[in-house]
Every structure is written in C-alpha cells, then in structure tokens.
Amino acid sequence: MGNVSILIAGVGGQGTLLTSRVLGAAAVKAGYDVKVSEVHGMAQRGGSVVTYVKIGENVSSPVIEKGEADILLCFEKLEALRWLEYAKKDCTVIINDQRIDPMPVIIGKEKYPDDIISKIKSARQNVYIIDALKIAKELGNIKVLNIVMVGFLAKKTDIQKETWYEAIRENVKPKFTELNLKAFDAGYKMAECYNS
C-alpha cells in the first residue's frame, strides 16, 4: 500500500473517531506502521470532527498538512468541501451524500453552499459519492454509516477483508459487531460496482 495519509472528516455523532481506530487497527494487523491524530473541534453532536490516519512502512508524524492527504473520507458534503484543500490533486475523495446543517446555517447567519459536489468534482478527479446513510437505514441503524464508508475504502486497499473484520470485532461493542460487519460488507460491495 505504501505510505498513505487519510483525512477523515465528519460531524459529532457520525463515528469519526471509531473509524480512525478501525482503520488504524486493520493497518497494524497488516504489518504497517500507523499514526493516528484526533484533530476534532466541537466534538459534540453537530460540530466538525476530523482525524488523521497515516499508514506506511515508517510513519514519523501523524499530522497531515494542506495538500498531503491521499484519501479524504468524508461523512458529510460540507465537511468534504471544508477539508478539500488538504487533498492532493490525485487524492481519492469518498463522500457520504448527506447534508447536516452546521449551527450558523441553523440560526440563519449563513447559507448552506449550493453545488458542493460539483465544486469538489471540478477540483479533484477521483471523487466517489455514496449514500451510506441510506444503506445504514436499510440495515436498521444510522450509526453504522461510518462502517459502510470504511467498507468502501477497504476495497481500495490491499488489506485483506478478514483483517478488516478482525479490526471491527476488536473496536466495536460485541452486541453491535454483526451489524457493523454487515455495514462493512455493504460498503465493500458498493465499491465493487465502481471502476477503480
């Protein structure tokens, strides 16, 4: 897989931190050096939450600077736009097609931007828009949308599927394990439908 810098962006309550733990655990099990850094701001529900995951043979720093991310994994459209400047020109951008209004929009001080997806697609070529929320709803729990996204990302790595399963089992409460494995499989299967 080489050295890979992954920026995970979402809002509070979407499972950004769990996602970084699962990604990190899978990479460690696959024999990589991993550094994870939580850079979240207002982590309560609705606030922006960002984590960095760096994977490679020898990772010295967990920090991802502007223009350095190989992968943006975004759980909400505006968060994707907000963090786009951290993406390399050939970055893979995976976006959950969901709108969550931030507080300035809710109270009427700002407007939610129009045409977010088209703006992102005009700036980067490798953009994947998936409806992880819809899949999570179909599985019966919207909280697994993050693991749907992990499944989509996992298909684009060289880490074995069983390794991802182990990482999920180790980081998710036992009563939610099967649900999360189903969410992972749904995201993985969706990625197979896209041209890499």
Side-chain angles (χ1 to χ4, degrees), residues 12-193:
Q14 286 191 299
T16 309
L17 303 181
L18 173 62
T19 300
S20 63
R21 287 198 298 271
V22 170
L23 288 178
V28 167
K29 287 177 180 299
Y32 292 104
D33 186 20
V34 178
K35 297 284 188 297
V36 177
S37 178
E38 299 172 3
V39 199
H40 53 83
M42 302 297 287
Q44 73 267 25
R45 193 164 196 75
S48 183
V49 183
V50 177
T51 59
Y52 302 152
V53 179
K54 292 181 89 171
I55 301 167
E57 297 303 321
N58 187 9
V59 180
S60 56
S61 166
V63 178
I64 298 173
E65 303 291 347
K66 290 179 181 178
E68 284 188 354
D70 297 291
I71 298 170
L72 285 188
L73 188 67
C74 305
F75 299 160
E76 195 274 343
K77 293 186 289 189
L78 182 57
E79 292 300 318
L81 183 63
R82 186 176 304 187
W83 292 94
L84 190 62
E85 64 184 338
Y86 281 76
K88 289 179 178 176
K89 286 296 176 188
D90 61 347
C91 178
T92 295
V93 184
I94 305 168
I95 304 170
N96 172 38
D97 191 11
Q98 182 179 1
R99 170 179 171 165
I100 300 175
D101 288 351
M103 191 53 67
V105 173
I106 291 170
I107 63 175
K109 284 196 169 184
E110 292 181 20
K111 290 183 76 173
Y112 195 91
D114 294 326
D115 303 323
I116 287 177
I117 299 302
S118 61
K119 287 174 184 172
I120 292 170
K121 284 186 171 181
S122 68
R124 299 292 184 278
Q125 291 186 333
N126 304 318
V127 179
Y128 299 90
I129 312 300
I130 65 173
D131 196 342
L133 180 61
K134 179 184 176 188
I135 293 171
K137 284 178 178 176
E138 289 169 356
L139 290 169
N141 190 332
I142 63 170
K143 289 190 173 184
V144 297
L145 79 82
N146 61 329
I147 302 300
V148 173
M149 301 283 288
V150 169
F152 192 96
L153 170 61
K155 180 68 177 110
K156 302 190 172 301
T157 72
D158 62 2
I159 298 174
Q160 296 297 311
K161 203 172 184 182
E162 186 54 47
T163 304
W164 289 101
Y165 288 161
E166 290 174 17
I168 290 168
R169 289 187 190 105
E170 288 181 7
N171 286 280
V172 172
K173 291 179 182 175
K175 66 179 179 177
F176 297 119
T177 300
E178 285 308 312
L179 175 61
N180 279 273
L181 292 174
K182 286 179 182 176
F184 176 90
D185 283 340
Y188 198 91
K189 188 173 182 180
M190 186 189 304
E192 292 176 335
C193 299

